[in-house]
Amino acid sequence: MLIARDISRRFGRTLALDRVDFEAAAGEIHALIGENGAGKTTLMNILAGRVRPDSGEVSLDGAPLPAGSASRALKAGIAAVNQSPMLFERFSWEENLALGGFDTSGFDLKKVADRSRALAERLGFELPPTGASIEQRSVADRVRLEVLRALSFDPRVLILDEPTGVLAPSELAPFLDLLRRLRGEGRIIVLITHKLGEALAVADRISVLQKGRMVARTIAAKTSEAELARLMIGQVAISVPEAARITATDAVALKISDLFLNRDGYRVLDDLSLEVHAGEIAGIAGVDGNGQTELVEILAGARRPDAGDFSAFENGSRGRSSLAVIPETRDQDGLVLDMPLWENLLLAGPLLSRLTPRGWLRRAGAIALCRELLARFSIRAPGPDAPAAALSGGNRQRLEVARAIACDPRVIVAHNVCRGLDIAGTAEVHRILSAFAAAGGAVLLISSDLEELLAMCERLFVMSRGRLRETPVAERDPSRLGLLMAGHWK
Amino acid sequence: MLNAFLSSTIAMATPVLLAALGELLVEETGIINIGIEGAMLSGAFFALAAAYFTGSILLGLAAGIAAGVAINAILGVLVVNLSVNQVVAGTALDILAIGITGVFYRRFFGITGKAFMVSPMPRIDFGPLTRIPVLGALVFHHNILVYLAFAMVPVVGFILWRTRYGLMLRAAGERPEAADALGLGVYRLRWHALVASGVLSGLAGAYLTLAYANTFVENISGGRGYVALAVVILGRWKPWEIAAASILFGAAMALQFGLQALGTQVPYQLFLALPYALALMVLAGIGGQAASPSGLGEPYTRL
Ligand SMILES: Nc1ncnc2c1ncn2[C@@H]1O[C@H](COP(=O)(O)OP(=O)(O)O)[C@@H](O)[C@H]1O
Ligand SMILES: [Mg+2]
């Protein structure tokens, strides 16, 4: 019996886990489900001794485990397979496995390879040729190698973090069979996933995390996808925002037509079309990883679609310069943290050309604009000369929204723009976007936060596996939306 | 003339090789140790001071090693446990070492003007072998530290690429969070490498004062620690290639001495710059294809 009691862990301002209890018994497959950011990975890392909890303890078969020691957790028999494989790229696969649990006395890589092959055969895996490095292998190969490495410890508990996300559909059934076989050997299997169907198909019991709290533990045979979806999403207020309804017009501001995108043989965007009108905030809901990032990259001009096109319109004429995109990974894509705030403004093309007439930088003009934006959007910052790193997360996000609006666009595309913000910061960003729409702008809000979308958008779409579906107001109850997000279009 | 050149080449290559092998070890665990110059300089001073006051070369070597390890231990606390920027911490230690050795040197020896000399470390007596042409001067003409340095080349190579422990060290430098997830203990592995490197750079420093100059002058290491950093890149993180690169540097040093001794009209500073210019040139030619550990220089904090 694997038991975790009263586990809490905070990362900065985020309370990733809030007094969570968890248990899984020998001979069961226990699914741990939850939306993105619910805290699933953090819980796994704590169980496996990779992350130290702020409070709470973990025990296996009655024996308490020391907090934050991966080697002790492995010795006790807890092995974990990471969401993105944790392999050593420049090492051969044998070397990667030699760092696992096989007896490697004498450092005989051939012996490691032999034992790996024996284990792989039992599991129905195929292994790369001798001495091949990891770099060239496919993602599915890597997952298999990491599962193999975890099993080399002959663990009593095997935790897998969304292992099926990277498997091709044809690889899924054999993989679930493998989990059942491991369960048959009396091991404890913890399967982390946000795919409800998968959890119901293979698990004995299911625990549901929601925003860092454990909200339910049910027996798989006694529940349904609709119930799980509702548990995952939680209570959300269903309302139609008045402001957006009043200002929406018939003029199309952004038109996306028939976008297709393939990657690694998968269809990432599948015939995606959408119109956003001047004066409205349209929303796209969905579990992360269903093509949202790629869609935003295409709109930002950072990626080419395989087919399809999009245009932004102003007074009926085309012009892409009037489209501003606020990408999701802010610290990496949007701001240069070491640069002063006013220089960060210049990173936006329209502002750069406006502030560098004939190639000369109008430093005073840039600083004045920066000062004006700081005041207008109540961004708390020491001044235009402060580096972006000096701003809190919420103020960085406001600065990015402010910069987008300063470019005087007709359309703003914002992706997970309020993720990680506190309530006041979220309200402020929402107010700015609403004001932009009320003044005749068009906003496309892409978010994995359903509550945000329900509060902001009159027209709401759900994105799943690269496809879009509009949800009329009548359809907006949590379990229905949960099913749509899980890809059940009916 | 040729004999002097060959023997001097090996003599100059030795301290660089010792330091570079230590640097290879720490770099394989993901740390770039700019402080190596400071460890070498401290080793040089404290080795000489201990040998001078006790009259024992052995105690001198021990003091040199202790000084090298002490400098690396400071670095370890800063970059391993506190995740301070490695370049900043290392550079600070270099400056610290110049200060400390300078202050002590002036305090003990500067005022009296007394000669701060020790008798040189003895050469190993190979009898008639020493008189073999070329080979005699190249191979059978040195003290124990020279042979130790070259013997370390296969030893370091074996540890890094033929043992599970070496694989663990490399894993810590390749992807520390993955190594920690496997329970390998990244902090511990990095400390091991830092201590080993402290021993080797302390010895390299001790070599400069006890075996080469037989005295101390301020900043006697004179950038050899930095050369060791370059030599690791030149040698593409492979021990034998690092040995070859060290010899190349030693040869440039020896050539520089030879050219100075000829007494030409050319300003001697030009000759002094020769080994460093050569290192730069080869680095520019070869550097692009270097194969450094993936996590080199990245600060890593356990969660
Ligand atoms: N190392 C970290 N630093 C800061 N925040 C983190 C870190 N790891 C996780 N978080 C935050 O904790 C929350 C839970 O994350 P995670 O456990 O990865 O969720 P899940 O796996 O369910 O998607 C998220 O809000 C995430 O941003
Ligand atoms: Mg996760």
Side-chain angles (χ1 to χ4, degrees):
Chain A
M1 189 90 141
L2 173 69
I3 300 179
R5 284 268 166 270
D6 214 24
I7 303 280
S8 297
R9 170 74 207 223
R10 181 178 282 284
F11 291 107
R13 280 176 302 139
T14 318
L15 188 54
L17 291 175
D18 183 9
R19 312 194 58 182
V20 163
D21 289 327
F22 177 77
E23 61 171 70
E28 83 163 325
I29 296 177
H30 197 116
L32 177 60
I33 65 172
E35 286 196 297
N36 262 293
K40 306 180 295 292
T41 300
T42 306
L43 181 57
M44 172 187 85
N45 282 335
I46 287 172
L47 293 173
R50 297 171 178 185
V51 166
R52 187 185 286 275
D54 296 332
S55 70
E57 51 184 59
V58 180
S59 69
L60 179 59
D61 297 330
L65 293 170
S69 166
S71 60
R72 296 284 293 275
L74 278 168
K75 266 199 201 93
I78 302 178
V81 173
N82 218 59
Q83 191 162 5
S84 46
M86 284 234 231
L87 297 168
F88 301 96
E89 292 288 314
R90 299 192 313 143
F91 295 1
S92 70
W93 67 265
E94 293 97 328
E95 286 179 316
N96 269 284
L97 278 154
L99 290 167
F102 289 136
D103 168 32
T104 45
S105 50
F107 196 52
D108 186 349
L109 283 182
K110 212 177 134 334
K111 204 163 77 187
V112 172
D114 289 343
R115 303 213 30 193
S116 310
R117 287 196 192 287
L119 182 57
E121 203 164 318
R122 201 155 64 78
L123 304 174
F125 285 2
E126 237 184 286
L127 281 174
T130 309
S133 89
I134 301 293
E135 270 166 327
Q136 314 294 332
R137 312 313 304 182
S138 71
V139 192
D141 270 357
R142 288 162 195 244
V143 173
R144 275 193 283 269
L145 280 172
E146 195 167 331
V147 169
L148 209 57
R149 187 171 68 184
L151 288 174
S152 73
F153 289 97
D154 192 18
R156 213 162 125 51
V157 181
L158 180 66
I159 312 173
L160 302 120
D161 194 358
E162 306 199 17
T164 55
V166 297
L167 295 180
S170 62
E171 296 170 312
L172 185 62
F175 186 80
L176 295 183
D177 275 341
L178 167 67
L179 295 187
R180 292 190 186 98
R181 210 144 6 115
L182 292 169
R183 167 179 65 186
E185 294 170 5
R187 298 179 211 268
I188 303 170
I189 310 293
V190 179
L191 175 67
I192 297 176
T193 180
H194 55 234
K195 295 183 184 160
L196 305 175
E198 207 172 282
L200 284 170
V202 75
D204 301 294
R205 288 193 293 168
I206 300 175
S207 289
V208 187
L209 267 178
Q210 182 208 104
K211 293 186 181 148
R213 286 179 311 112
M214 192 63 86
V215 291
R217 181 165 64 231
T218 65
I219 294 171
K222 291 190 180 161
T223 185
S224 65
E225 288 203 25
E227 187 188 354
L228 290 177
R230 204 180 57 239
L231 287 168
M232 249 168 72
I233 295 166
Q235 286 305 316
V236 290
I238 307 290
S239 63
V240 177
E242 294 297 317
R245 190 163 27 198
I246 292 164
T247 59
T249 67
D250 288 337
V252 175
L254 173 67
K255 184 177 168 65
I256 301 172
S257 3
D258 313 316
L259 284 187
F260 283 92
L261 180 72
N262 289 311
R263 217 174 58 193
D264 306 331
Y266 291 91
R267 183 149 286 183
V268 181
L269 295 179
D270 190 357
D271 196 11
L272 189 140
S273 301
L274 174 67
E275 283 181 1
V276 186
H277 298 214
E280 78 162 340
I281 302 177
I284 297 183
V287 176
D288 282 353
N290 276 287
Q292 295 97 324
T293 306
E294 288 80 1
L295 172 62
V296 172
E297 283 170 355
I298 288 174
L299 293 177
R303 186 189 280 281
R304 258 178 200 294
D306 293 329
D309 198 6
F310 68 93
S311 342
F313 295 92
E314 184 171 6
N315 305 328
S317 64
R318 282 160 164 258
R320 269 178 205 184
S321 61
S322 61
L323 171 67
V325 175
I326 305 172
E328 171 185 40
T329 45
R330 228 145 275 106
D331 289 356
Q332 288 151 38
D333 295 354
L335 298 176
V336 179
L337 295 182
D338 299 339
M339 277 180 15
L341 299 179
W342 66 269
E343 282 186 9
N344 266 294
L345 292 182
L346 299 176
L347 296 181
L351 290 183
L352 183 65
S353 29
R354 197 191 308 162
L355 290 164
T356 54
R358 286 183 296 280
W360 294 99
L361 173 62
R362 280 187 50 227
R363 200 187 140 99
I367 290 177
L369 174 67
C370 185
R371 190 163 282 133
E372 182 206 317
L373 290 177
L374 294 183
R376 186 168 137 214
F377 295 100
S378 21
I379 299 166
R380 231 175 309 153
D385 276 320
L391 269 57
S392 72
N395 283 302
R396 283 181 207 169
Q397 263 142 302
R398 266 183 243 180
L399 179 68
E400 272 208 84
V401 178
R403 182 176 65 188
I405 289 177
C407 294
D408 198 22
R410 306 316 310 152
V411 186
I412 292 180
V413 176
H415 189 196
N416 281 335
V417 69
C418 292
R419 177 175 285 179
L421 284 189
D422 56 14
I423 294 171
T426 303
E428 184 64 22
V429 170
H430 286 171
R431 190 190 61 74
I432 295 170
L433 290 175
S434 300
F436 175 76
V443 178
L444 178 59
L445 194 58
I446 303 171
S447 173
S448 46
D449 183 346
L450 201 50
E451 209 160 340
E452 164 177 53
L453 294 169
L454 290 171
M456 293 287 291
C457 313
E458 190 193 11
R459 285 199 309 139
L460 180 62
F461 299 79
V462 171
M463 189 160 182
S464 170
R465 288 183 211 136
R467 288 183 299 159
L468 271 191
R469 184 188 197 287
E470 184 162 3
T471 60
V473 176
E475 267 186 30
R476 291 185 194 172
D477 70 279
S479 50
R480 172 89 190 113
L481 286 169
L483 282 176
L484 285 173
M485 283 161 69
H488 295 264
W489 302 74
K490 207 175 52 193
Chain B
M1 186 70 196
L2 178 67
N3 278 357
F5 172 73
L6 290 177
S7 151
S8 174
T9 293
I10 298 299
M12 297 310 306
T14 297
V16 170
L17 176 58
L18 278 169
L21 289 173
E23 181 65 23
L24 171 64
L25 282 170
V26 291
E27 289 197 5
E28 286 295 341
T29 68
I31 297 173
I32 183 143
N33 181 9
I34 308 278
I36 194 167
E37 173 81 12
M40 221 164 149
L41 181 59
S42 310
F45 176 78
F46 288 101
L48 187 79
Y52 180 82
F53 287 116
T54 65
S56 157
I57 294 270
L58 225 51
L59 285 177
L61 289 177
I65 289 173
V69 172
I71 292 283
N72 275 19
I74 302 176
L75 188 78
V77 171
L78 292 176
V79 304
V80 179
N81 299 83
L82 302 178
S83 307
V84 172
N85 180 304
Q86 298 179 4
V87 174
V88 173
T91 310
L93 282 178
D94 290 341
I95 297 167
L96 178 76
I98 292 179
I100 288 181
T101 55
V103 165
F104 275 107
Y105 174 63
R106 263 171 261 166
R107 187 157 189 97
F108 290 164
F109 308 100
I111 303 157
T112 63
K114 209 163 44 168
F116 188 21
M117 297 284 288
V118 292
S119 49
M121 264 179 92
R123 289 194 185 122
I124 294 178
D125 185 6
F126 286 100
L129 286 179
T130 314
R131 287 192 296 279
I132 304 174
V134 182
L135 214 59
L138 196 62
V139 180
F140 301 111
H141 191 70
H142 305 289
N143 62 60
I144 182 82
L145 287 181
V146 175
Y147 301 106
L148 179 75
F150 282 89
M152 286 307 290
V153 175
V155 171
V156 168
F158 184 84
I159 292 173
L160 279 176
W161 283 280
R162 293 278 175 275
T163 68
R164 182 169 196 269
Y165 180 68
L167 186 63
M168 287 160 64
L169 290 174
R170 288 188 288 132
E174 193 63 26
R175 208 168 162 191
E177 74 281 6
D180 254 345
L182 288 167
L184 304 182
V186 169
Y187 286 11
R188 194 175 48 97
L189 290 165
R190 290 185 166 183
W191 267 102
H192 289 183
L194 276 170
V195 170
S197 149
V199 170
L200 290 171
S201 11
L203 272 180
Y207 176 94
L208 288 178
T209 46
L210 299 184
Y212 184 73
N214 308 315
T215 186
F216 181 85
V217 292
E218 280 185 49
N219 197 17
I220 190 173
S221 47
R224 283 184 182 81
Y226 302 129
V227 170
L229 283 168
V231 154
V232 172
I233 302 172
L234 276 185
R236 295 185 298 172
W237 290 269
K238 297 191 181 103
W240 285 112
E241 293 186 27
I242 287 174
S246 305
I247 291 174
L248 183 70
F249 173 80
M253 274 295 215
L255 185 66
Q256 177 253 121
F257 286 138
L259 291 176
Q260 272 194 67
L262 285 178
T264 58
Q265 292 292 307
V266 184
Y268 77 98
Q269 285 91 343
L270 272 184
F271 295 129
L272 276 182
L274 180 69
Y276 304 96
L278 185 81
L280 262 181
M281 265 153 37
V282 184
L283 213 54
I286 229 177
Q289 21 175 322
S292 65
S294 307
L296 184 61
E298 301 281 333
Y300 165 68
T301 317
R302 202 176 274 168
L303 287 174

